[in-house]
Amino acid sequence: MSFTHVVTFAWAQDSDAARDPAVVDGIAAALRAFVDEADLAGLRSWTCGRDAGLATGNADFAVVAVFDDVDAYTAYRDHPEHRRIIDEQIAHRVGGRSAVQFAG
Amino acid sequence: MSFTHVVTFAWAQDSDAARDPAVVDGIAAALRAFVDEADLAGLRSWTCGRDAGLATGNADFAVVAVFDDVDAYTAYRDHPEHRRIIDEQIAHRVGGRSAVQFAG
């Protein structure tokens, strides 16, 4: 049984991320570089992306990561580089966030 | 390039879904049966699950579905059985919902 982490972000309306897709692309690139370079044991798949605009009221950005188990997820969650990207590039830009981690 | 749909739900505090995991399991079972029986063209993967309780402030339930393309996603989104399950088993129980669909 795998373990899935899902998080969606709605950018704060006054944030540069809400105005400038390049800012969000920079966040995505930093996260992808981390995932590629950190050689995370137990990471099965990792994707992220900007909302495609198919529905009103959607959030703006999402990350989906699938792991072998909870331990592999928590190692990802607590990795210093993951924390750094969140602290430096994401946290101050977020208006709303919704996350679920589930077995499956 | 695949196309991913992510949705998280926080159940309304006064809803039976917030009190009774069996209600949520029933929703998950209905969704899984739909996905299994509808033979949806272009559906690559589909998972759902209840939050594992690893973080305060998480939502309660999530669905992650990956499709070949946008058209395969919209066929899933607009399928009558999918709409029925949402209308009859989910909508009236939802306190908060966050969705993103993205290329990837």
Side-chain angles (χ1 to χ4, degrees):
Chain A
M1 169 74 79
S2 54
F3 191 78
T4 299
H5 164 61
V6 171
V7 59
T8 66
F9 297 100
W11 305 121
Q13 289 190 342
D14 59 355
S15 82
D16 55 0
R19 295 190 305 273
D20 182 0
V23 169
V24 182
D25 291 342
I27 292 168
L31 289 169
R32 283 197 187 96
F34 153 58
V35 168
D36 290 344
E37 291 156 20
D39 192 22
L40 297 156
L43 175 64
R44 296 189 184 184
S45 69
W46 186 96
T47 58
C48 76
R50 284 193 277 123
D51 184 62
L54 298 178
T56 53
N58 269 11
D60 299 307
F61 185 75
V63 175
V64 177
V66 181
F67 301 89
D68 285 344
D69 51 39
V70 180
D71 291 344
Y73 161 67
T74 53
Y76 159 87
R77 179 196 64 190
D78 300 335
H79 190 290
E81 175 63 1
H82 185 233
R83 298 304 326 167
R84 186 195 67 77
I85 295 167
I86 290 170
D87 294 343
E88 294 180 9
Q89 295 184 251
I90 296 177
H92 63 288
R93 293 177 163 129
V94 174
R97 177 183 181 279
S98 179
V100 171
Q101 294 89 36
F102 64 90
Chain B
M1 169 74 81
S2 54
F3 191 77
T4 298
H5 164 60
V6 171
V7 59
T8 66
F9 296 100
W11 306 120
Q13 288 190 341
D14 59 356
S15 82
D16 55 1
R19 296 189 306 275
D20 183 1
V23 169
V24 182
D25 291 342
I27 292 168
L31 288 169
R32 283 196 188 97
F34 153 59
V35 168
D36 290 345
E37 290 155 20
D39 191 24
L40 297 156
L43 175 63
R44 296 190 184 185
S45 68
W46 186 95
T47 58
C48 75
R50 282 194 277 123
D51 184 59
L54 298 178
T56 53
N58 269 12
D60 299 307
F61 184 75
V63 175
V64 177
V66 182
F67 301 89
D68 285 343
D69 51 37
V70 179
D71 291 343
Y73 162 66
T74 53
Y76 161 88
R77 179 194 65 190
D78 301 336
H79 190 290
E81 175 64 1
H82 184 234
R83 298 306 322 167
R84 186 195 67 77
I85 295 168
I86 289 169
D87 294 343
E88 293 181 8
Q89 295 184 250
I90 296 176
H92 64 288
R93 293 176 162 130
V94 173
R97 176 184 182 279
S98 179
V100 172
Q101 294 88 38
F102 64 90

